[in-house]
Amino acid sequence: VTFNIFHNSIRGNNRDGKQYEKSIKDVLTKLLNLKKTLQNKPNDVLANYEYATGIYNLSYFGNSAKLTTIYKSSYNFKSLQLEKRRIQTSIKHYKKALENAKEQEFKAKVIYALAKNELALYDLKNSRKENYNEVYNSYVFDRLYYFSKEDYKKYVVEGYGEFFKKLQEEYFNTNYYKELIKECYNLNYFQKLVKDVSLDDEFKNINRIKLLKDLEKEIQLKSRRELKNYDLIYFWKLINNIPINNKTVTLYNNIAYYLQEKRKNDEAIYLLNKVIESYPKRVVAYYNLGDAYWDSYNKFKAKKAYKKYVYLMKKLNKTNKIPQKIEQRLK
């Protein structure tokens, strides 16, 4: 086994320059022994930490997935449920270790491990199914290896970042954090972006319905280039200040429609998912959401939205009004 799966290093996949000389049998035996220890001592801090780390490193995101995966790719994985189960198991045991730990340096280390698991959950949520041949009948991620600025905007507006925030707010005085801030690109980039997403006074003391109507018209009339300031962060702030309700839902749906027309699909997808979250029977939102995903080359999620649209239309006895393009795309 190339790496120690029970250890996490800030610098990459535990590549500290030393050769790890354990066999696969040694590693998997230790994993099973840790599981037995936890059955008898569920609050054991070190056992929880090592078990969580081992499970994480056997996932797609860790350094040793090939130990338990017949086909290991750098781009895709076969079982969404298996990967979710591994990450959720890892999170469960890291949280148990954190709950019973005493020493601040160790706690900081556990929280960083939880932040890595949270990044993995984000990737799994945003994965999509690929079916282009038998070998690659598998899931892939919308992003690979690194976060772009747009990825981090999605990450923040979708509610992630709990553990990165906790590290900065509660463990900034630890030596571990000081080393981490020098080495971890993800933490640095996250902190820079968070400064831009704090709520401000921009939307106070205004006629909210008028603002949404003016925004709808502006997005309808202006070019994509002229709308560059209307990004995910702007709409995240907008919804936090002007909630989706009976008075605003149609305006938000229309804004999303015009955003999708201008190929600002990330923003359209964000708004439409928020509309559906509040109004799950709003039929047209699923249609628009399917179009936005389709234009983003995410056919897996597009078809899911289209299928829901078709289901609701049939329930309303409006089958004859379903656009032909949707039927073609669902074939």
Side-chain angles (χ1 to χ4, degrees):
V1 178
T2 311
F3 305 119
N4 179 357
I5 76 167
F6 306 103
H7 171 68
N8 269 331
S9 170
I10 294 172
R11 300 181 183 183
N13 292 324
N14 307 329
R15 296 189 179 109
D16 55 7
K18 298 176 183 177
Q19 183 66 35
Y20 191 66
E21 297 179 349
K22 299 293 184 182
S23 69
I24 292 174
K25 181 182 176 182
D26 292 334
V27 169
L28 297 182
T29 298
K30 179 173 180 177
L31 196 67
L32 292 173
N33 287 337
L34 284 168
K35 191 172 183 179
K36 289 179 183 176
T37 298
L38 290 170
Q39 288 172 350
N40 297 320
K41 300 177 181 179
N43 294 327
D44 187 300
V45 173
L46 185 59
N48 273 294
Y49 175 79
E50 289 191 327
Y51 188 70
T53 304
I55 295 297
Y56 173 84
N57 280 324
L58 290 174
S59 76
Y60 176 94
F61 309 91
N63 57 39
S64 304
K66 64 184 179 181
L67 297 186
T68 54
T69 304
I70 294 171
Y71 175 74
K72 168 64 177 166
S73 167
S74 297
Y75 296 94
N76 51 66
F77 58 96
K78 290 291 182 183
S79 172
L80 183 60
Q81 292 308 314
L82 175 60
E83 295 301 332
K84 281 182 178 178
R85 190 161 70 247
R86 285 171 170 168
I87 297 302
Q88 287 164 352
T89 299
S90 179
I91 289 172
K92 173 186 171 182
H93 288 281
Y94 275 134
K95 285 185 173 180
K96 183 63 75 172
L98 184 64
E99 181 184 326
N100 292 283
K102 305 293 183 186
E103 205 263 322
Q104 286 292 95
E105 294 289 339
F106 182 77
K107 285 184 176 182
K109 189 175 183 178
V110 174
I111 291 170
Y112 177 56
L114 283 164
K116 289 170 66 177
N117 273 274
E118 193 182 42
L119 287 169
L121 283 181
Y122 172 86
D123 272 343
L124 289 171
K125 180 184 175 184
N126 289 285
S127 63
R128 63 183 188 273
K129 193 72 181 276
E130 294 289 306
N131 296 296
Y132 44 89
N133 63 40
E134 290 183 6
V135 175
Y136 295 106
N137 181 14
S138 56
Y139 291 88
V140 299
F141 301 119
D142 282 347
R143 69 112 193 166
L144 287 170
Y145 303 124
Y146 65 92
F147 268 32
S148 68
K149 188 174 182 179
E150 294 307 310
D151 285 316
Y152 267 105
K153 289 178 182 178
K154 291 181 189 177
Y155 188 74
V156 170
V157 302
E158 288 182 23
Y160 293 90
E162 172 191 354
F163 299 108
F164 279 146
K165 289 177 185 174
K166 197 174 185 70
L167 270 170
Q168 184 180 15
E169 291 169 1
E170 299 180 26
Y171 296 89
F172 62 92
N173 279 329
T174 62
N175 291 326
Y176 188 84
Y177 178 83
K178 290 171 185 175
E179 182 184 356
L180 190 61
I181 203 69
K182 292 177 184 177
E183 298 290 340
C184 182
Y185 170 85
N186 284 327
L187 177 59
N188 277 281
Y189 210 110
F190 177 81
Q191 289 182 356
K192 288 176 184 177
L193 185 60
V194 165
K195 292 178 183 177
D196 298 330
V197 301
S198 56
L199 295 178
D200 48 39
D201 296 330
E202 184 179 351
F203 302 101
K204 290 184 179 179
N205 302 319
I206 56 170
N207 184 321
R208 298 184 172 194
I209 300 301
K210 183 179 184 301
L211 184 148
L212 291 177
K213 286 181 177 178
D214 290 344
L215 182 61
E216 176 190 355
K217 189 173 182 180
E218 187 175 5
I219 292 172
Q220 181 184 7
L221 297 176
K222 288 188 174 181
S223 69
R224 190 177 190 277
R225 181 177 294 180
E226 292 173 309
L227 298 172
K228 65 180 182 179
N229 291 329
Y230 294 122
D231 62 0
L232 277 172
I233 300 303
Y234 174 84
F235 289 109
W236 180 83
K237 288 182 178 181
L238 188 68
I239 284 181
N240 274 279
N241 283 276
I242 308 176
I244 296 173
N245 55 37
N246 290 339
K247 293 181 179 179
T248 63
V249 62
T250 299
L251 289 165
Y252 273 118
N253 202 128
N254 292 346
I255 289 167
Y257 170 78
Y258 291 123
L259 285 168
Q260 190 272 323
E261 275 201 332
K262 300 295 166 65
R263 297 189 68 80
K264 288 180 71 67
N265 291 305
D266 286 344
E267 292 80 2
I269 288 167
Y270 172 70
L271 287 182
L272 289 165
N273 275 316
K274 286 296 182 182
V275 167
I276 288 168
E277 192 178 295
S278 299
Y279 293 87
K281 293 183 180 180
R282 188 172 178 81
V283 183
V284 70
Y286 291 99
Y287 180 6
N288 297 150
L289 183 61
D291 283 351
Y293 277 128
W294 190 271
D295 285 351
S296 299
Y297 306 103
N298 192 336
K299 292 185 179 180
F300 177 57
K301 289 189 177 180
K303 288 182 178 181
K304 186 177 179 181
Y306 286 144
K307 285 176 182 177
K308 184 68 175 181
Y309 168 75
V310 169
Y311 168 78
L312 291 173
M313 289 292 281
K314 287 181 177 178
K315 203 171 179 181
L316 294 169
N317 295 317
K318 294 182 178 180
T319 304
N320 60 331
K321 293 187 178 181
I322 297 172
Q324 191 174 4
K325 78 171 186 182
I326 290 182
E327 295 175 355
Q328 291 173 344
R329 289 178 178 182
L330 284 174
K331 286 182 179 178

